[in-house]
Amino acid sequence: MTQNRNVVLFIASSLDGYIATKEESLEWLYKVEGEGDNGFSQFYDTVDTVLMGKKSYDWIMKQDLQQFPYENKNCYVFTRSLARNTENVQFVNPDITDFIHVLKSQPGKNIWLVGGGELLHSFIQKNLVDELIITVAPTIIGRGIRLFREGDYQLDLSLKGTRNFNQFVELHYEVKR
């Protein structure tokens, strides 16, 4: 286990920067011909902690899944409302900066920032993201849920690498500090 844990955004986006349609649909993503799981399994093995917002959690729970997809990881769901912890999830409403500093100080693997856009925006504003792995689909949606929200911030990035998964292109960036 490493002590140098990074917060990593791993997400898919349309070419015009959307992560879902306005109706929260990902159908556009599944229409693109990929390769295997588009690098997901390889990435998933590098993390032991999963972070997501309540909207993303609710979306996942509405899917027809046989089991919770992150049950072998420490999963934290950020929410402003009261929610009861489950066997697989801890609902939290902490000071984000303090919470992340505590997680990063503990031994373990990387920390996956699943999403969504609102939580990502909070992390970016507080400079808590270390790496971004964005898999771009050759699709233009036109409108929907943006990957990056408009705001008063700037992130300077360094390209770590690119990979192709048939029609998808993965862009891997490290945040310059």
Side-chain angles (χ1 to χ4, degrees):
M1 298 279 183
T2 65
Q3 194 75 24
N4 187 16
R5 303 175 77 187
N6 284 332
V7 173
V8 183
L9 173 71
F10 183 87
I11 199 163
S13 170
S14 65
L15 183 60
D16 55 346
Y18 294 97
I19 57 176
T21 66
K22 280 214 174 281
E23 297 79 27
E24 299 181 350
S25 172
L26 297 180
E27 286 304 313
W28 58 273
L29 184 62
Y30 302 120
K31 292 178 182 177
V32 178
E33 191 174 333
E35 185 177 306
D37 66 1
N38 299 324
F40 176 77
S41 296
Q42 184 181 7
F43 169 77
Y44 195 69
D45 288 343
T46 70
V47 300
D48 64 4
T49 304
V50 175
L51 309 175
M52 71 182 79
K54 182 74 163 58
K55 288 179 187 175
S56 294
Y57 173 78
D58 289 343
W59 184 88
I60 289 168
M61 298 311 290
K62 288 179 192 171
Q63 306 312 302
D64 190 21
L65 304 173
Q66 299 296 320
Q67 62 189 41
F68 186 68
Y70 315 118
E71 65 183 20
N72 61 339
K73 308 288 183 188
N74 296 316
C75 185
Y76 299 95
V77 174
F78 290 78
T79 181
R80 291 182 198 95
S81 59
L82 290 176
R84 183 170 294 188
N85 293 341
T86 70
E87 177 183 344
N88 299 308
V89 174
Q90 271 191 270
F91 293 92
V92 296
N93 185 10
D95 174 88
I96 293 176
T97 303
D98 291 343
F99 186 78
I100 295 306
H101 288 301
V102 168
L103 281 181
K104 288 179 81 168
S105 71
Q106 298 169 351
K109 296 180 178 182
N110 284 335
I111 301 162
W112 178 19
L113 178 57
V114 173
E118 192 174 325
L119 185 62
L120 173 60
H121 185 73
S122 297
F123 272 66
I124 288 175
Q125 285 185 311
K126 296 183 182 298
N127 200 24
L128 296 173
V129 179
D130 299 299
E131 295 180 52
L132 298 93
I133 302 172
I134 302 168
T135 303
V136 180
T139 303
I140 295 175
I141 296 176
R143 66 177 181 210
I145 300 170
R146 295 207 57 81
L147 173 58
F148 299 109
R149 292 182 174 207
E150 188 174 317
D152 190 21
Y153 61 87
Q154 179 174 335
L155 276 184
D156 295 318
L157 308 172
S158 177
L159 182 65
K160 286 185 73 171
T162 61
R163 297 192 299 178
N164 287 66
F165 299 102
N166 200 343
Q167 293 296 304
F168 290 96
V169 176
E170 179 186 273
L171 305 168
H172 188 169
Y173 294 101
E174 187 172 65
V175 176
K176 289 183 180 178
R177 302 272 187 224

